[in-house]
Amino acid sequence: MKEVIQLLKEGADGKIVLVNEGGTTFLAPVLAKLAGVVCITGALGSHLAIVTREFEIPALMGTKIESPEELDRKYVMIKPEEGSEGALFVKERLDNCT
Amino acid sequence: MHIVQFLEDIQSDDFENHGGKAVNLAKLARLGFNVPRGFSISSAVFTQMVKKNQDLTSYLKKVDKSDDFEEILGLSESIQQIIDNYRIPDDVVSEITKNLKHIEQAKFGFAVRSSATIEDRRDVSFAGQAESYLCVQGEEDIIGSVKKVWQSAFSDRALVYLKTKSIPLVEVKMAVLLQEMIPAEISGVMFTANVVTSNTGEILINSTWGLGNTLVSGEIIPDTFVLTKRPLGVIQQVLGDKEFTSKPEIYNLVITDTPEEKRSKFTLEDQALFDIAEVGLKIESSMESPQDIEWCIKPDGKLVILQSRPITTLSEPSYREE
């Protein structure tokens, strides 16, 4: 919870956060400001997915990521794909995504 | 009005006393759906605690006025402490004890669940913000868990959720639902509309082995199925790794690594999916809107409904690019 408050203070606006553990409903306070949430576990029926939909925040659930640490401070974009799938795009530099 | 009521006796408009979860389950039980036996402790008991306690009332007012999240975290701690010290009136305790005795052979104890009056509304789910406690045995622990559910209504994350949704804390009234634990073989969530695409002609099902707490908390990746409603058919299935399995034992909940042969196997075959979907369609029709349903399958193969709430988020398909 403290980390979430810290994020609120430094400004969560437009950020996409990567969540690496269960019990992720603690994200609720910052959700309204975030650009998106990527959760390495969970699925459409998880509470985090339900709450992000309520806040109209794009979220990827059950996203397999080889080395999550390397994504820190990178520019990423969430894009919906066929059906209920989605994909995470990662870039080193900023051009058309944040 | 009784402060403690068996599920089947709760009226379908009594959201104020028993909250969305209990009222919806009561309706399903009366309609003949298979719902675990149980009873609800009215939110009037919770409200009585708040009203009786001036310190608590003043802390809640402070939270309503504050926009400083760090201050709110501090206030949450004080609120938790006051509820922890609260002594539930003797007449309420004796009602609870009396009702517990009516539910015999609850071998795996009870699930002590939140049923807030603001929960499961059409616009606010409050999903996963308040706590539930599983496999609780014995009167003392059950009473303790009732207080923990009350505390969770004002946990730090719940307070901040309520603030961001602009819901005044005085509107929060927490009923507590006590139901026998079901030693589920398979558990899951079903949306009777595709919540991603807002297609009301499709059903989404997530499922995993054992109890569903690992699924709703997001700890594991469950199996995912997309079905069409008419005719019933499976159009997509994705195997989840179902890393952990949660199982009730006599005195507590045990979480173990799922054996490899079960991780690599789908939890549900087509016929089981269709049976679940049929029940989902009947519930959708009874509740008159697309539903988000938590269910489980007992060792004897019977489907049990644990929760049903309206889907809060159906809209025109859209996405935004950042």
Side-chain angles (χ1 to χ4, degrees), chain B residues 161-200:
Chain B
Y161 175 96
L162 293 166
K163 281 222 77 91
T164 46
K165 287 271 182 188
S166 305
I167 298 168
L169 296 186
V170 288
E171 284 185 18
V172 179
K173 292 170 190 160
M174 180 66 88
V176 181
L177 184 59
L178 283 92
Q179 287 177 289
E180 63 171 330
M181 275 302 297
I182 305 293
E185 292 286 314
I186 301 166
S187 299
V189 174
M190 157 168 51
F191 297 97
T192 66
N194 187 326
V195 286
V196 180
T197 59
S198 288
N199 183 344
T200 51

Side-chain angles (χ1 to χ4, degrees), chain B residues 130-160:
Chain B
E131 295 284 349
S132 287
Y133 296 88
L134 304 178
C135 300
V136 188
Q137 298 265 11
E139 188 189 314
E140 200 179 317
D141 283 354
I142 288 172
I143 300 289
S145 299
V146 170
K147 288 209 293 186
K148 282 191 204 162
V149 171
W150 286 347
Q151 285 177 310
S152 72
F154 300 132
S155 70
D156 45 15
R157 71 180 193 219
L159 290 184
V160 180

